[in-house]
Amino acid sequence: MILLATLVLAAGFDHDHPSTMQATTDIRWIRALDVRIHLGVDGISLPLLVLTALLCFLCALHSYFKPPAGSRPKAFVALLLVLESGTLATFAVLDLVLFFLAFETVLIPMYFLIARWGGEGRRAAATKFVLYTLLGSVVMLLGLLLIGVKSGTFDMVALATDNGRGLTTSVQVIAVLAIGIGLAVKTPMWPLHSWLPDAHTAAPTVGSVLLAGVLLKMGTYGFVRIVLPIAPDGMRTFAPYLAAFAVAGIVYGSLACLALARPGAKGDLKQLIAYSSVGHMGFVLLGIATMTPTGVNGALFANVAHGLVTGLLFFLAGAVKDRYGTADLDTLAGATGAALYGRAPASAPSSPSPPSPPSACPASPASGARCWPSSAPSTPPRASAAPPSSPSRRSAPSAPCSPPRTS
């Protein structure tokens, strides 16, 4: 139903005006803080909403045909629904306080998905995931409150329309630093990425799909939705540093993938995809750091592409792990002819066909003898005890000859 609703929303979206908020809802919630339940969709959030609904639908199908190991499957499905609700709310809300609440809602279900239904080392990986993201979120909350207090509103549309004119440069710099740290942890940006490989390796297949395909997009979405339009002067100050960290993440992720793919490195297939995500998200951050329409549009396209491709890759990695019982690259390479390391399996040499018997008669042409085909099946000649005088000359079986004609 959720996927159908998002498809209907996408079909009714006015693509001629993608920058206009559509399907909006604005209800007063907390009067004292001027917090409103403000929802809306534009060209930035619509692809992410469709991507979230699609991946969650595929995860539900996967859980139906391949139930999670262990007990309490209903709790597993309930956590998936809570996770989907928080993610959809993150991409649809237009209030800073609601954005933070939805941003944090996904932490609890993802923690239990990893800690309860994960693989080896799941509790340590889940704890590391929560500590990193929670500490980053606390810093991000301070930046969001600073913007709301100094500007007098938490409405993201009003703040984006003002484009930072109601905030001083120093306030924008502090706010971008605080909010950027929280979003960089979620993205994740090097060097705040160390929680990601462990979480992907220990998480179940469905958890890895949603973590890579949906949750990582919340960080980059926050940069485009909040930091760029609300605090442009502060973003302009930190853009070179963001680009430098993005390039470092690209190089680091690529080298880590090459190191894991080496024979004997004891690499994990899901860990390999996780490090590739660090590099891919580095390209997204690099596009955002340009602060140009072309760069930001390219980052949004790469953001959605990474979510779709990496989610499907984790489905394949889960299938491989279910079939072979492991995701260790060395073990998989031994079972598949080392194809994971880029070497084609050796083909068996083809056996030479036996030579056909010659049709010529060994008799001299001057004798006038004629050769007739033998009705008996030909057999290969036995090897002679003495080596032949020439390697190019071979002894051939004699064919039956007719006696020479007499005049």
Side-chain angles (χ1 to χ4, degrees):
M1 292 298 295
I2 296 178
L3 178 60
L4 181 61
T6 55
L7 293 178
V8 171
L9 181 64
F13 186 80
D14 186 5
H15 297 277
D16 295 331
H17 302 86
S19 60
T20 304
M21 286 294 171
Q22 305 177 29
T24 59
T25 299
D26 192 359
I27 304 173
R28 184 183 295 274
W29 184 30
I30 303 177
R31 295 179 180 271
L33 299 177
D34 194 24
V35 177
R36 310 178 68 88
I37 302 178
H38 193 182
L39 307 176
V41 177
D42 64 350
I44 298 176
S45 57
L46 179 62
L48 295 174
L49 289 173
V50 176
L51 175 65
T52 302
L54 176 62
L55 290 181
C56 290
F57 175 74
L58 295 178
C59 289
L61 287 181
H62 181 274
S63 301
Y64 177 78
F65 292 103
K66 180 68 178 178
S71 59
R72 303 178 66 92
K74 294 182 179 180
F76 183 86
V77 176
L79 291 174
L80 286 182
L81 294 178
V82 174
L83 181 63
E84 182 181 13
S85 302
T87 308
L88 291 174
T90 302
F91 296 140
V93 297
L94 298 174
D95 187 273
L96 292 179
V97 176
L98 287 182
F99 176 83
F100 176 78
L101 294 178
F103 195 87
E104 297 305 306
T105 301
V106 301
L107 295 183
I108 299 175
M110 181 55 69
Y111 169 81
F112 284 107
L113 286 176
I114 298 175
R116 177 64 181 84
W117 289 276
E120 184 179 357
R122 57 184 183 270
R123 295 192 179 275
T127 303
K128 192 175 183 180
F129 162 73
V130 168
L131 288 179
Y132 266 79
T133 53
L134 189 60
L135 291 176
S137 298
V138 170
V139 180
M140 184 181 69
L141 177 61
L142 297 178
L144 296 177
L145 293 177
L146 178 63
I147 291 179
V149 170
K150 292 297 182 180
S151 61
T153 180
F154 291 97
D155 188 81
M156 296 164 63
V157 176
L159 291 170
T161 304
D162 190 62
N163 200 23
R165 286 186 290 270
L167 301 173
T168 63
T169 303
S170 59
V171 170
Q172 292 189 32
V173 169
I174 297 174
V176 169
L177 179 61
I179 298 174
I181 290 176
L183 297 176
V185 173
K186 182 75 75 173
T187 299
M189 182 186 71
W190 182 90
L192 303 175
H193 69 283
S194 59
W195 62 269
L196 182 66
D198 296 337
H200 273 309
T201 304
T205 300
V206 171
S208 297
V209 170
L210 294 179
L211 183 60
V214 177
L215 266 67
L216 302 189
K217 311 301 166 289
M218 296 166 60
T220 52
Y221 174 78
F223 276 106
V224 178
R225 176 63 72 195
I226 299 176
V227 178
L228 280 178
I230 296 178
D233 294 336
M235 181 63 186
R236 198 171 292 110
T237 301
F238 287 103
Y241 304 100
L242 179 63
F245 284 122
V247 172
I250 294 170
V251 176
Y252 175 84
S254 303
L255 293 178
C257 290
L258 293 176
L260 288 174
R262 295 178 57 190
K266 301 183 182 299
D268 189 274
L269 182 58
K270 297 176 70 175
Q271 192 177 23
L272 180 69
I273 303 175
Y275 276 108
S276 70
S277 297
V278 175
H280 197 149
M281 298 307 293
F283 281 103
V284 178
L285 291 174
L286 187 61
I288 296 175
T290 61
M291 298 184 65
T292 61
T294 303
V296 174
N297 285 330
L300 293 176
F301 274 105
N303 205 29
V304 177
H306 173 265
L308 183 61
V309 173
T310 311
L312 298 179
L313 281 177
F314 275 112
F315 273 128
L316 294 177
V320 171
K321 187 175 182 179
D322 291 338
R323 172 160 300 189
Y324 290 97
T326 181
D328 183 72
L329 291 177
D330 292 327
T331 305
L332 294 175
T336 58
L340 290 176
Y341 297 135
R343 297 197 301 266
S347 59
S350 57
S351 57
S353 57
S356 58
S359 59
C361 181
S364 173
S367 61
R370 291 188 302 175
C371 297
W372 301 94
S374 176
S375 59
S378 60
T379 56
R382 296 182 178 179
S384 176
S389 58
S390 174
S392 61
R393 298 179 58 186
R394 294 182 181 178
S395 59
S398 59
C401 299
S402 61
R405 293 182 181 179
T406 55
S407 56

PDB file of all heavy atoms in Angstrom, residues 219-254:
ATOM      1  N   GLY A 219      21.617  11.566   5.461  1.00  0.00           N
ATOM      2  CA  GLY A 219      22.674  12.537   5.711  1.00  0.00           C
ATOM      3  C   GLY A 219      22.854  13.508   4.562  1.00  0.00           C
ATOM      4  O   GLY A 219      22.890  14.735   4.749  1.00  0.00           O
ATOM      5  N   THR A 220      22.965  12.990   3.350  1.00  0.00           N
ATOM      6  CA  THR A 220      23.128  13.871   2.190  1.00  0.00           C
ATOM      7  C   THR A 220      21.872  14.698   1.932  1.00  0.00           C
ATOM      8  O   THR A 220      21.953  15.844   1.483  1.00  0.00           O
ATOM      9  CB  THR A 220      23.474  13.046   0.949  1.00  0.00           C
ATOM     10  OG1 THR A 220      22.509  11.988   0.795  1.00  0.00           O
ATOM     11  CG2 THR A 220      24.843  12.408   1.094  1.00  0.00           C
ATOM     12  N   TYR A 221      20.692  14.126   2.223  1.00  0.00           N
ATOM     13  CA  TYR A 221      19.454  14.893   2.076  1.00  0.00           C
ATOM     14  C   TYR A 221      19.453  16.088   3.027  1.00  0.00           C
ATOM     15  O   TYR A 221      18.975  17.186   2.673  1.00  0.00           O
ATOM     16  CB  TYR A 221      18.258  13.986   2.352  1.00  0.00           C
ATOM     17  CG  TYR A 221      16.939  14.707   2.374  1.00  0.00           C
ATOM     18  CD1 TYR A 221      16.299  15.071   1.192  1.00  0.00           C
ATOM     19  CD2 TYR A 221      16.311  15.020   3.587  1.00  0.00           C
ATOM     20  CE1 TYR A 221      15.075  15.727   1.216  1.00  0.00           C
ATOM     21  CE2 TYR A 221      15.093  15.665   3.615  1.00  0.00           C
ATOM     22  CZ  TYR A 221      14.474  16.023   2.435  1.00  0.00           C
ATOM     23  OH  TYR A 221      13.268  16.680   2.453  1.00  0.00           O
ATOM     24  N   GLY A 222      19.958  15.903   4.247  1.00  0.00           N
ATOM     25  CA  GLY A 222      20.025  17.016   5.188  1.00  0.00           C
ATOM     26  C   GLY A 222      20.926  18.134   4.700  1.00  0.00           C
ATOM     27  O   GLY A 222      20.627  19.323   4.904  1.00  0.00           O
ATOM     28  N   PHE A 223      22.032  17.789   4.049  1.00  0.00           N
ATOM     29  CA  PHE A 223      22.900  18.830   3.495  1.00  0.00           C
ATOM     30  C   PHE A 223      22.166  19.660   2.449  1.00  0.00           C
ATOM     31  O   PHE A 223      22.274  20.893   2.429  1.00  0.00           O
ATOM     32  CB  PHE A 223      24.144  18.199   2.869  1.00  0.00           C
ATOM     33  CG  PHE A 223      25.245  17.909   3.847  1.00  0.00           C
ATOM     34  CD1 PHE A 223      25.514  16.616   4.252  1.00  0.00           C
ATOM     35  CD2 PHE A 223      26.023  18.925   4.373  1.00  0.00           C
ATOM     36  CE1 PHE A 223      26.525  16.328   5.153  1.00  0.00           C
ATOM     37  CE2 PHE A 223      27.044  18.673   5.275  1.00  0.00           C
ATOM     38  CZ  PHE A 223      27.292  17.357   5.668  1.00  0.00           C
ATOM     39  N   VAL A 224      21.430  18.999   1.567  1.00  0.00           N
ATOM     40  CA  VAL A 224      20.754  19.712   0.479  1.00  0.00           C
ATOM     41  C   VAL A 224      19.511  20.436   0.983  1.00  0.00           C
ATOM     42  O   VAL A 224      19.221  21.552   0.544  1.00  0.00           O
ATOM     43  CB  VAL A 224      20.388  18.720  -0.654  1.00  0.00           C
ATOM     44  CG1 VAL A 224      19.642  19.435  -1.774  1.00  0.00           C
ATOM     45  CG2 VAL A 224      21.643  18.069  -1.197  1.00  0.00           C
ATOM     46  N   ARG A 225      18.768  19.844   1.909  1.00  0.00           N
ATOM     47  CA  ARG A 225      17.511  20.430   2.368  1.00  0.00           C
ATOM     48  C   ARG A 225      17.711  21.525   3.403  1.00  0.00           C
ATOM     49  O   ARG A 225      16.968  22.514   3.430  1.00  0.00           O
ATOM     50  CB  ARG A 225      16.624  19.323   2.953  1.00  0.00           C
ATOM     51  CG  ARG A 225      15.318  19.798   3.559  1.00  0.00           C
ATOM     52  CD  ARG A 225      14.419  20.439   2.520  1.00  0.00           C
ATOM     53  NE  ARG A 225      13.866  19.447   1.634  1.00  0.00           N
ATOM     54  CZ  ARG A 225      13.285  19.735   0.487  1.00  0.00           C
ATOM     55  NH1 ARG A 225      13.220  20.988   0.081  1.00  0.00           N
ATOM     56  NH2 ARG A 225      12.790  18.782  -0.280  1.00  0.00           N
ATOM     57  N   ILE A 226      18.707  21.380   4.283  1.00  0.00           N
ATOM     58  CA  ILE A 226      18.850  22.308   5.408  1.00  0.00           C
ATOM     59  C   ILE A 226      20.065  23.213   5.247  1.00  0.00           C
ATOM     60  O   ILE A 226      19.950  24.448   5.271  1.00  0.00           O
ATOM     61  CB  ILE A 226      18.937  21.521   6.734  1.00  0.00           C
ATOM     62  CG1 ILE A 226      17.660  20.711   6.958  1.00  0.00           C
ATOM     63  CG2 ILE A 226      19.170  22.458   7.901  1.00  0.00           C
ATOM     64  CD1 ILE A 226      17.694  19.828   8.183  1.00  0.00           C
ATOM     65  N   VAL A 227      21.245  22.614   5.088  1.00  0.00           N
ATOM     66  CA  VAL A 227      22.479  23.395   5.167  1.00  0.00           C
ATOM     67  C   VAL A 227      22.619  24.353   3.984  1.00  0.00           C
ATOM     68  O   VAL A 227      22.894  25.548   4.171  1.00  0.00           O
ATOM     69  CB  VAL A 227      23.688  22.446   5.258  1.00  0.00           C
ATOM     70  CG1 VAL A 227      24.983  23.242   5.288  1.00  0.00           C
ATOM     71  CG2 VAL A 227      23.577  21.574   6.497  1.00  0.00           C
ATOM     72  N   LEU A 228      22.422  23.873   2.779  1.00  0.00           N
ATOM     73  CA  LEU A 228      22.629  24.722   1.602  1.00  0.00           C
ATOM     74  C   LEU A 228      21.678  25.919   1.542  1.00  0.00           C
ATOM     75  O   LEU A 228      22.133  27.063   1.370  1.00  0.00           O
ATOM     76  CB  LEU A 228      22.512  23.880   0.331  1.00  0.00           C
ATOM     77  CG  LEU A 228      23.739  23.049  -0.069  1.00  0.00           C
ATOM     78  CD1 LEU A 228      23.441  22.234  -1.318  1.00  0.00           C
ATOM     79  CD2 LEU A 228      24.929  23.947  -0.313  1.00  0.00           C
ATOM     80  N   PRO A 229      20.362  25.741   1.663  1.00  0.00           N
ATOM     81  CA  PRO A 229      19.485  26.912   1.512  1.00  0.00           C
ATOM     82  C   PRO A 229      19.358  27.783   2.756  1.00  0.00           C
ATOM     83  O   PRO A 229      19.099  28.987   2.639  1.00  0.00           O
ATOM     84  CB  PRO A 229      18.130  26.274   1.153  1.00  0.00           C
ATOM     85  CG  PRO A 229      18.162  24.949   1.819  1.00  0.00           C
ATOM     86  CD  PRO A 229      19.585  24.497   1.797  1.00  0.00           C
ATOM     87  N   ILE A 230      19.538  27.220   3.952  1.00  0.00           N
ATOM     88  CA  ILE A 230      19.286  27.981   5.170  1.00  0.00           C
ATOM     89  C   ILE A 230      20.523  28.730   5.645  1.00  0.00           C
ATOM     90  O   ILE A 230      20.418  29.858   6.157  1.00  0.00           O
ATOM     91  CB  ILE A 230      18.754  27.031   6.269  1.00  0.00           C
ATOM     92  CG1 ILE A 230      17.404  26.457   5.850  1.00  0.00           C
ATOM     93  CG2 ILE A 230      18.626  27.757   7.604  1.00  0.00           C
ATOM     94  CD1 ILE A 230      16.820  25.473   6.845  1.00  0.00           C
ATOM     95  N   ALA A 231      21.702  28.144   5.482  1.00  0.00           N
ATOM     96  CA  ALA A 231      22.949  28.778   5.934  1.00  0.00           C
ATOM     97  C   ALA A 231      23.974  28.766   4.810  1.00  0.00           C
ATOM     98  O   ALA A 231      24.993  28.067   4.892  1.00  0.00           O
ATOM     99  CB  ALA A 231      23.480  28.065   7.174  1.00  0.00           C
ATOM    100  N   PRO A 232      23.741  29.517   3.730  1.00  0.00           N
ATOM    101  CA  PRO A 232      24.669  29.461   2.588  1.00  0.00           C
ATOM    102  C   PRO A 232      26.048  30.035   2.897  1.00  0.00           C
ATOM    103  O   PRO A 232      27.051  29.534   2.380  1.00  0.00           O
ATOM    104  CB  PRO A 232      23.946  30.277   1.512  1.00  0.00           C
ATOM    105  CG  PRO A 232      23.028  31.175   2.265  1.00  0.00           C
ATOM    106  CD  PRO A 232      22.613  30.423   3.482  1.00  0.00           C
ATOM    107  N   ASP A 233      26.116  31.084   3.729  1.00  0.00           N
ATOM    108  CA  ASP A 233      27.423  31.665   4.041  1.00  0.00           C
ATOM    109  C   ASP A 233      28.278  30.701   4.861  1.00  0.00           C
ATOM    110  O   ASP A 233      29.489  30.564   4.621  1.00  0.00           O
ATOM    111  CB  ASP A 233      27.238  32.974   4.810  1.00  0.00           C
ATOM    112  CG  ASP A 233      26.582  34.053   3.963  1.00  0.00           C
ATOM    113  OD1 ASP A 233      26.687  33.961   2.716  1.00  0.00           O
ATOM    114  OD2 ASP A 233      25.954  34.969   4.531  1.00  0.00           O
ATOM    115  N   GLY A 234      27.665  30.027   5.819  1.00  0.00           N
ATOM    116  CA  GLY A 234      28.416  29.040   6.594  1.00  0.00           C
ATOM    117  C   GLY A 234      28.833  27.860   5.743  1.00  0.00           C
ATOM    118  O   GLY A 234      29.942  27.330   5.893  1.00  0.00           O
ATOM    119  N   MET A 235      27.961  27.428   4.833  1.00  0.00           N
ATOM    120  CA  MET A 235      28.317  26.332   3.928  1.00  0.00           C
ATOM    121  C   MET A 235      29.450  26.738   3.006  1.00  0.00           C
ATOM    122  O   MET A 235      30.334  25.928   2.693  1.00  0.00           O
ATOM    123  CB  MET A 235      27.086  25.923   3.120  1.00  0.00           C
ATOM    124  CG  MET A 235      27.335  24.770   2.165  1.00  0.00           C
ATOM    125  SD  MET A 235      27.789  23.256   3.052  1.00  0.00           S
ATOM    126  CE  MET A 235      28.183  22.183   1.677  1.00  0.00           C
ATOM    127  N   ARG A 236      29.445  27.988   2.571  1.00  0.00           N
ATOM    128  CA  ARG A 236      30.520  28.461   1.708  1.00  0.00           C
ATOM    129  C   ARG A 236      31.864  28.450   2.437  1.00  0.00           C
ATOM    130  O   ARG A 236      32.916  28.240   1.823  1.00  0.00           O
ATOM    131  CB  ARG A 236      30.181  29.866   1.206  1.00  0.00           C
ATOM    132  CG  ARG A 236      30.975  30.313  -0.008  1.00  0.00           C
ATOM    133  CD  ARG A 236      30.432  31.612  -0.577  1.00  0.00           C
ATOM    134  NE  ARG A 236      29.110  31.422  -1.163  1.00  0.00           N
ATOM    135  CZ  ARG A 236      27.989  31.903  -0.644  1.00  0.00           C
ATOM    136  NH1 ARG A 236      28.023  32.594   0.496  1.00  0.00           N
ATOM    137  NH2 ARG A 236      26.834  31.697  -1.236  1.00  0.00           N
ATOM    138  N   THR A 237      31.847  28.638   3.741  1.00  0.00           N
ATOM    139  CA  THR A 237      33.084  28.601   4.524  1.00  0.00           C
ATOM    140  C   THR A 237      33.638  27.191   4.623  1.00  0.00           C
ATOM    141  O   THR A 237      34.856  26.974   4.516  1.00  0.00           O
ATOM    142  CB  THR A 237      32.826  29.158   5.934  1.00  0.00           C
ATOM    143  OG1 THR A 237      32.344  30.500   5.833  1.00  0.00           O
ATOM    144  CG2 THR A 237      34.105  29.138   6.760  1.00  0.00           C
ATOM    145  N   PHE A 238      32.769  26.200   4.807  1.00  0.00           N
ATOM    146  CA  PHE A 238      33.216  24.820   5.020  1.00  0.00           C
ATOM    147  C   PHE A 238      33.231  23.988   3.735  1.00  0.00           C
ATOM    148  O   PHE A 238      33.607  22.811   3.791  1.00  0.00           O
ATOM    149  CB  PHE A 238      32.316  24.134   6.054  1.00  0.00           C
ATOM    150  CG  PHE A 238      32.522  24.604   7.455  1.00  0.00           C
ATOM    151  CD1 PHE A 238      31.631  25.485   8.051  1.00  0.00           C
ATOM    152  CD2 PHE A 238      33.623  24.175   8.187  1.00  0.00           C
ATOM    153  CE1 PHE A 238      31.815  25.917   9.342  1.00  0.00           C
ATOM    154  CE2 PHE A 238      33.819  24.611   9.482  1.00  0.00           C
ATOM    155  CZ  PHE A 238      32.907  25.493  10.074  1.00  0.00           C
ATOM    156  N   ALA A 239      32.812  24.544   2.618  1.00  0.00           N
ATOM    157  CA  ALA A 239      32.753  23.763   1.374  1.00  0.00           C
ATOM    158  C   ALA A 239      34.117  23.195   0.965  1.00  0.00           C
ATOM    159  O   ALA A 239      34.194  22.023   0.565  1.00  0.00           O
ATOM    160  CB  ALA A 239      32.165  24.616   0.251  1.00  0.00           C
ATOM    161  N   PRO A 240      35.227  23.978   1.020  1.00  0.00           N
ATOM    162  CA  PRO A 240      36.522  23.375   0.649  1.00  0.00           C
ATOM    163  C   PRO A 240      36.918  22.210   1.542  1.00  0.00           C
ATOM    164  O   PRO A 240      37.464  21.207   1.058  1.00  0.00           O
ATOM    165  CB  PRO A 240      37.507  24.549   0.779  1.00  0.00           C
ATOM    166  CG  PRO A 240      36.666  25.780   0.658  1.00  0.00           C
ATOM    167  CD  PRO A 240      35.362  25.423   1.285  1.00  0.00           C
ATOM    168  N   TYR A 241      36.635  22.307   2.839  1.00  0.00           N
ATOM    169  CA  TYR A 241      36.981  21.218   3.747  1.00  0.00           C
ATOM    170  C   TYR A 241      36.095  20.002   3.483  1.00  0.00           C
ATOM    171  O   TYR A 241      36.563  18.852   3.547  1.00  0.00           O
ATOM    172  CB  TYR A 241      36.829  21.675   5.198  1.00  0.00           C
ATOM    173  CG  TYR A 241      37.644  22.895   5.530  1.00  0.00           C
ATOM    174  CD1 TYR A 241      37.055  24.165   5.568  1.00  0.00           C
ATOM    175  CD2 TYR A 241      39.009  22.801   5.792  1.00  0.00           C
ATOM    176  CE1 TYR A 241      37.807  25.297   5.869  1.00  0.00           C
ATOM    177  CE2 TYR A 241      39.771  23.921   6.093  1.00  0.00           C
ATOM    178  CZ  TYR A 241      39.152  25.172   6.123  1.00  0.00           C
ATOM    179  OH  TYR A 241      39.900  26.284   6.405  1.00  0.00           O
ATOM    180  N   LEU A 242      34.819  20.238   3.177  1.00  0.00           N
ATOM    181  CA  LEU A 242      33.937  19.133   2.839  1.00  0.00           C
ATOM    182  C   LEU A 242      34.407  18.422   1.586  1.00  0.00           C
ATOM    183  O   LEU A 242      34.395  17.175   1.515  1.00  0.00           O
ATOM    184  CB  LEU A 242      32.505  19.650   2.649  1.00  0.00           C
ATOM    185  CG  LEU A 242      31.444  18.617   2.270  1.00  0.00           C
ATOM    186  CD1 LEU A 242      31.286  17.579   3.377  1.00  0.00           C
ATOM    187  CD2 LEU A 242      30.108  19.294   1.986  1.00  0.00           C
ATOM    188  N   ALA A 243      34.860  19.194   0.590  1.00  0.00           N
ATOM    189  CA  ALA A 243      35.369  18.579  -0.641  1.00  0.00           C
ATOM    190  C   ALA A 243      36.634  17.770  -0.365  1.00  0.00           C
ATOM    191  O   ALA A 243      36.822  16.679  -0.925  1.00  0.00           O
ATOM    192  CB  ALA A 243      35.647  19.665  -1.685  1.00  0.00           C
ATOM    193  N   ALA A 244      37.503  18.284   0.504  1.00  0.00           N
ATOM    194  CA  ALA A 244      38.733  17.550   0.815  1.00  0.00           C
ATOM    195  C   ALA A 244      38.428  16.229   1.524  1.00  0.00           C
ATOM    196  O   ALA A 244      39.003  15.180   1.187  1.00  0.00           O
ATOM    197  CB  ALA A 244      39.634  18.420   1.694  1.00  0.00           C
ATOM    198  N   PHE A 245      37.522  16.255   2.485  1.00  0.00           N
ATOM    199  CA  PHE A 245      37.139  15.008   3.156  1.00  0.00           C
ATOM    200  C   PHE A 245      36.453  14.053   2.194  1.00  0.00           C
ATOM    201  O   PHE A 245      36.608  12.822   2.299  1.00  0.00           O
ATOM    202  CB  PHE A 245      36.226  15.316   4.346  1.00  0.00           C
ATOM    203  CG  PHE A 245      36.941  15.855   5.550  1.00  0.00           C
ATOM    204  CD1 PHE A 245      36.608  17.087   6.078  1.00  0.00           C
ATOM    205  CD2 PHE A 245      37.953  15.128   6.159  1.00  0.00           C
ATOM    206  CE1 PHE A 245      37.270  17.596   7.188  1.00  0.00           C
ATOM    207  CE2 PHE A 245      38.622  15.612   7.268  1.00  0.00           C
ATOM    208  CZ  PHE A 245      38.278  16.859   7.789  1.00  0.00           C
ATOM    209  N   ALA A 246      35.676  14.589   1.259  1.00  0.00           N
ATOM    210  CA  ALA A 246      35.014  13.730   0.274  1.00  0.00           C
ATOM    211  C   ALA A 246      36.034  13.023  -0.614  1.00  0.00           C
ATOM    212  O   ALA A 246      35.922  11.822  -0.876  1.00  0.00           O
ATOM    213  CB  ALA A 246      34.050  14.554  -0.574  1.00  0.00           C
ATOM    214  N   VAL A 247      37.035  13.745  -1.083  1.00  0.00           N
ATOM    215  CA  VAL A 247      38.073  13.129  -1.921  1.00  0.00           C
ATOM    216  C   VAL A 247      38.854  12.091  -1.127  1.00  0.00           C
ATOM    217  O   VAL A 247      39.181  11.003  -1.633  1.00  0.00           O
ATOM    218  CB  VAL A 247      39.011  14.216  -2.483  1.00  0.00           C
ATOM    219  CG1 VAL A 247      40.204  13.595  -3.197  1.00  0.00           C
ATOM    220  CG2 VAL A 247      38.256  15.133  -3.440  1.00  0.00           C
ATOM    221  N   ALA A 248      39.152  12.401   0.139  1.00  0.00           N
ATOM    222  CA  ALA A 248      39.851  11.425   0.980  1.00  0.00           C
ATOM    223  C   ALA A 248      39.001  10.160   1.158  1.00  0.00           C
ATOM    224  O   ALA A 248      39.520   9.038   1.143  1.00  0.00           O
ATOM    225  CB  ALA A 248      40.172  12.038   2.341  1.00  0.00           C
ATOM    226  N   GLY A 249      37.682  10.321   1.292  1.00  0.00           N
ATOM    227  CA  GLY A 249      36.813   9.159   1.403  1.00  0.00           C
ATOM    228  C   GLY A 249      36.773   8.332   0.129  1.00  0.00           C
ATOM    229  O   GLY A 249      36.711   7.100   0.178  1.00  0.00           O
ATOM    230  N   ILE A 250      36.804   9.009  -1.016  1.00  0.00           N
ATOM    231  CA  ILE A 250      36.814   8.286  -2.291  1.00  0.00           C
ATOM    232  C   ILE A 250      38.066   7.429  -2.419  1.00  0.00           C
ATOM    233  O   ILE A 250      38.015   6.234  -2.752  1.00  0.00           O
ATOM    234  CB  ILE A 250      36.708   9.282  -3.458  1.00  0.00           C
ATOM    235  CG1 ILE A 250      35.346   9.985  -3.445  1.00  0.00           C
ATOM    236  CG2 ILE A 250      36.918   8.581  -4.803  1.00  0.00           C
ATOM    237  CD1 ILE A 250      35.255  11.144  -4.405  1.00  0.00           C
ATOM    238  N   VAL A 251      39.213   8.034  -2.140  1.00  0.00           N
ATOM    239  CA  VAL A 251      40.480   7.306  -2.251  1.00  0.00           C
ATOM    240  C   VAL A 251      40.554   6.194  -1.208  1.00  0.00           C
ATOM    241  O   VAL A 251      40.956   5.057  -1.506  1.00  0.00           O
ATOM    242  CB  VAL A 251      41.662   8.280  -2.113  1.00  0.00           C
ATOM    243  CG1 VAL A 251      42.991   7.527  -2.138  1.00  0.00           C
ATOM    244  CG2 VAL A 251      41.629   9.317  -3.229  1.00  0.00           C
ATOM    245  N   TYR A 252      40.151   6.501   0.015  1.00  0.00           N
ATOM    246  CA  TYR A 252      40.219   5.506   1.089  1.00  0.00           C
ATOM    247  C   TYR A 252      39.306   4.322   0.800  1.00  0.00           C
ATOM    248  O   TYR A 252      39.699   3.162   0.963  1.00  0.00           O
ATOM    249  CB  TYR A 252      39.839   6.165   2.418  1.00  0.00           C
ATOM    250  CG  TYR A 252      39.763   5.198   3.574  1.00  0.00           C
ATOM    251  CD1 TYR A 252      40.909   4.839   4.274  1.00  0.00           C
ATOM    252  CD2 TYR A 252      38.544   4.648   3.968  1.00  0.00           C
ATOM    253  CE1 TYR A 252      40.849   3.954   5.336  1.00  0.00           C
ATOM    254  CE2 TYR A 252      38.476   3.766   5.024  1.00  0.00           C
ATOM    255  CZ  TYR A 252      39.626   3.419   5.699  1.00  0.00           C
ATOM    256  OH  TYR A 252      39.562   2.540   6.744  1.00  0.00           O
ATOM    257  N   GLY A 253      38.067   4.598   0.379  1.00  0.00           N
ATOM    258  CA  GLY A 253      37.148   3.512   0.084  1.00  0.00           C
ATOM    259  C   GLY A 253      37.631   2.634  -1.052  1.00  0.00           C
ATOM    260  O   GLY A 253      37.505   1.404  -1.005  1.00  0.00           O
ATOM    261  N   SER A 254      38.214   3.247  -2.071  1.00  0.00           N
ATOM    262  CA  SER A 254      38.718   2.462  -3.206  1.00  0.00           C
ATOM    263  C   SER A 254      39.892   1.572  -2.795  1.00  0.00           C
ATOM    264  O   SER A 254      39.942   0.389  -3.152  1.00  0.00           O
ATOM    265  CB  SER A 254      39.143   3.409  -4.331  1.00  0.00           C
ATOM    266  OG  SER A 254      38.071   4.250  -4.722  1.00  0.00           O
TER     267      SER A 254
END
